[in-house]
Amino acid sequence: MMRRALQSIQHYGMILFGACLLAFAYYHINYQNHLSEGGFVGLGLLAKYAFDVSPALMMLVLDIPLLLVAWLVKGRQFIWNTVIASLVFTGFYEAFEMFSPIVMDMSSMMPVASLLSGVLTGLGTGLVLRFGAATGGDDILTLLLSKYTGLTVGTVFLLMDVMVLSLSFWYVPMKEMIYTILAVFISSRVINWSMGKGAASTEEVQPAHGHGRVSLHHR
């Protein structure tokens, strides 16, 4: 019983740490240094600029079907973990935005900003995924595509982000785009490393509440 409780604490602790690290990087590095966004956030911004559709509404429309698919494919424990990770990420991001005294202005050394963004977002995302959760629908889509295509999770993230960023060329400045793509590339490599260097692996976590096992299969 004690061992299972410790495993559960470690399991959720790593998810919380990953979500917190991701929020820290998105606010203090990406936002403060004007790096653009890929994934569903990027699609939300694209919908705003192209069709004047609310980014939040666009992301909700994209997230809901993938959450339903994930419920069927990965089970309720994965959804529960994802809800926790998403709430923690949102909570930390808002807390950093409202209260953080840290200003990381690296406008004069953008390659460093790209490097830090890639390392921290890659590590945060990789930890959340490795321990059986996601922070949004684009993470879920990435896991599903990785499973059924045989591509590593990091590679799928890279391809999706580059595709979204390519669609955003008409409103994102070239300099911002180049450094964002650099950050995305670094992040994809770090995600693969943090999930086992892209090798075929299965992470199984036995939760403490008896809902079964969370299994992630990657190639």
Side-chain angles (χ1 to χ4, degrees), residues 1-215:
M1 182 66 69
M2 180 62 69
R3 181 180 178 183
R4 178 175 293 182
L6 290 174
Q7 288 178 339
S8 183
I9 291 172
Q10 180 191 33
H11 165 61
Y12 286 110
M14 295 306 291
I15 291 176
L16 299 184
F17 176 72
C20 176
L21 189 61
L22 196 58
F24 179 91
Y26 270 129
Y27 177 69
H28 291 96
I29 302 176
N30 289 28
Y31 174 74
Q32 292 185 358
N33 293 281
H34 308 291
L35 292 174
S36 189
E37 302 289 350
F40 283 7
V41 176
L43 286 175
L45 294 175
L46 184 63
K48 172 65 177 177
Y49 281 98
F51 308 108
D52 198 27
V53 174
S54 165
L57 176 61
M58 182 65 177
M59 291 173 64
L60 187 64
V61 169
L62 293 171
D63 280 344
I64 288 177
L66 286 167
L67 286 170
L68 293 175
V69 171
W71 181 288
L72 296 174
V73 174
K74 292 188 171 296
R76 61 176 179 172
Q77 184 63 40
F78 177 83
I79 297 298
W80 170 244
N81 291 347
T82 295
V83 169
I84 292 175
S86 299
L87 290 175
V88 169
F89 170 79
T90 301
F92 271 111
Y93 188 93
E94 291 184 358
F96 288 139
E97 191 173 36
M98 294 174 63
F99 305 114
S100 177
I102 301 173
V103 177
M104 300 180 67
D105 183 2
M106 293 179 280
S107 55
S108 62
M109 44 183 180
M110 288 303 294
V112 176
S114 295
L115 175 63
L116 285 176
S117 173
V119 170
L120 295 182
T121 59
L123 183 58
T125 301
L127 286 174
V128 171
L129 294 176
R130 181 170 183 168
F131 285 87
T135 57
D138 48 350
D139 289 3
I140 295 172
L141 179 59
T142 299
L143 285 175
L144 294 175
L145 289 175
S146 174
K147 179 177 180 180
Y148 293 113
T149 64
L151 297 173
T152 63
V153 172
T155 299
V156 176
F157 263 113
L158 177 62
L159 293 174
M160 288 178 55
D161 284 349
V162 168
M163 180 178 66
V164 173
L165 290 169
S166 297
L167 295 173
S168 307
F169 257 117
W170 62 277
Y171 73 88
V172 177
M174 178 64 70
K175 181 179 178 181
E176 181 178 312
M177 179 69 69
I178 291 172
Y179 287 120
T180 300
I181 291 176
L182 176 59
V184 166
F185 176 79
I186 295 170
S187 176
S188 71
R189 302 302 93 191
V190 175
I191 288 172
N192 283 342
W193 174 82
S194 63
M195 299 185 70
K197 299 184 179 179
S201 64
T202 301
E203 291 292 337
E204 293 189 342
V205 180
Q206 180 69 44
H209 304 295
H211 295 308
R213 292 191 173 188
V214 178
S215 298

